Amino acid sequence: MRSWPTKTLALGGDYNPEQWPRPVWDEDIELMRRANVSFVSLGIFSWSWLEPAKGEYEFEWLDTILDKLHAGGIAVDLATATATPPPWLSAAHPEILPVDVDGHTLWPGSRQTWCPTSPVFREYAVALTRQLATRYHEHPAVAMWHVSNEYACHNLPCYCDECARHFRTWLQRRYPGLEALNDAWGTAFWSQRYTDWGQILPPRRSTTFNNPTHVLDYKRFSSDALLDHMRAERAVLDELSPGVPVTTNFMTLDHFRHLDYSQWTPTVDVVSTDHYLVDTLEHPRAELAYSGDLTRGLAGGAPWMLMEHSTSAVNWQPTNHAKDFGQTIRDALAHVARGADTIGWFQWRQSRAGSEKFHSALVPHAGADSARFREVEELGRIAGRLGELVGSRVESRVAILHDYQAIWAAEGPCMPSSELDALTAAQAIHRALHDRGVTADVVHPSADLTAYALVVVPQLYLVTDEHAAAVAAAAEAGAEVLVTYFSGISDENDHVRLGGYPGAFRDLLGVRVEEFFPLGPDETVALADGTGTWWSEDVTALPGTDVLTTYAAGPLTGRPAVTRRAGTDGAGSAWYVSTLPDDTALGALLDDVLSAAGVEPTVAGLPRGVETTRRRSDEGSWLFLLNHTDAEHTVAATGYDLVADAPVDGSVRLAPGGVAVLRED
Ligand code: GLA
Ligand code: ZN
């Protein structure tokens, strides 16, 4: 894999010079240098400024700013500028507009107003990419290509007739014939048998619940359709600009689940992602950590690029809270702690006009004479010292499985609980590990699991035979395996595995479940050693399986809640947790599992709210300590703190909100 060509910890962000008069450009470059900004993403929403009419191009402004940036020593991640079509294109070709589940056209006037399968849109997008690649492939400022932007942020799924046609073709490739499709979709149910491909439509709004496998296949198709679009743009770049790495910014945030990125990573040279803290979440920082660990998992453990985050407020939440002073630095380093080697923001200069004029930026409305910009400059100085850790990898001996297709299936219509989020168990366990100073890789089930000491299988509702076998093989190879409720229930077509839940993991775990007893958001169930939430079920422990905890109230009183089947001949144990225990009980369970796995925390005994990870390379190791609390904490450590630029001998003092990155002796 080609890598983003940087030897330093690069800082930068989206740059939209077309929003500003030219004298501002020179000031921008001067300020970028002051803040140690070494890259910008340019041209993401510039289509109408580059091609104001069909086949008529205005490149002078881009030539000029590219030259200026290059003269200023700033590398450019140059967009193909195809994220949003110009008004002339949708006026001439309204058929490129996306259509929602009710058949309503989504009109131009915002952004990303294009249908993923539109051949007309594709033709114009590829043509613009060709123009840009031809003109700029040798420009010395161009260090990377940025294809489109945040695929699927607003235009998926599209339910138009063109998508219906492409969906049928996609299905014809997936299934050998209509009979196979009817089998896979279970169309014997509700008289849905198809006798001609032409009868198949996108899962548009119907009278009641759509067929779940139909819906699942439409999600698979939609992700593939956009990937196909990216490949079409990428093919042009490969032809005209070989050697320049290509990326597109993923969105590995909790609330974005439209694309199966595990299928996308082969098409990017550098895994990049965007992340925004969501204030309304119960645990926004834990979500940031999960997202970072997921992005690293997608990158196969290699360093990745944070393309966008915010210096302070965003513009799209109900209340757009400003960040505390100090948090701009801490949040940026929180991503570095999880393997990012490049830190980008949206955006360089806060807009005066448009929907994002109240979104924070590196240079705020107040200008460079502001506390926020001074904080950015301080981060620039810190980043200058962190170059030595670029290329190092985050240490982790724990894998948490994450599969977008399993999430899609679990989010399908008519499940045992529509209130249970598909990531509840994954995030709760990730957070509990994180609170114990244990770092986890969040990986797809197809990753190599054999090197991990502990593999967590959280709510992996849909699982293929192959992935279930990989989990069993990891246990066989010695890993402890922890499986939660509502895993292994259905197969690739979302058909329930019969004979007792959790079908795919029944043998591994030595349990058999006859019935689910899901709990509502306000319900709990007493356990012998705590409280269960979200879920419970009627578990039978098979001979040879130990019962660790039982239900202590309700219809399941006395029945197993947590079990363990000891491995033989060097195999790890298989642990099953049939409910989500409260934090204390879950923590105690994890302590036992971690000790069986021989996994130690990065730093033992840290106070809650102090986050820690370690990055390591052949050149050394670096310990990250991030204090997210309002209190001062002292942590035993020795080395050289690259944030404070001072040696640490025995203990490091973390101010409230403070960060230390220690080069360890
Ligand atoms: C996304 C987009 C940016 C901008 C930010 C605002 O990440 O890629 O163009 O809209 O959101 O948070
Ligand atoms: Zn469409």
Side-chain angles (χ1 to χ4, degrees), residues 66-78:
L66 278 169
D67 291 346
K68 282 179 185 289
L69 287 163
H70 182 60
I74 292 152
V76 173
D77 164 42
L78 185 59

Side-chain angles (χ1 to χ4, degrees), residues 95-99 114-118 155-164 166 202 204 218 221:
E95 71 273 23
I96 71 166
L97 296 171
V99 170
W114 52 278
C115 155
T117 65
S118 163
N155 63 348
L156 219 64
C158 172
Y159 296 86
C160 79
D161 291 339
E162 190 65 49
C163 285
H166 281 82
R204 293 172 177 157
Y218 205 69
F221 154 76

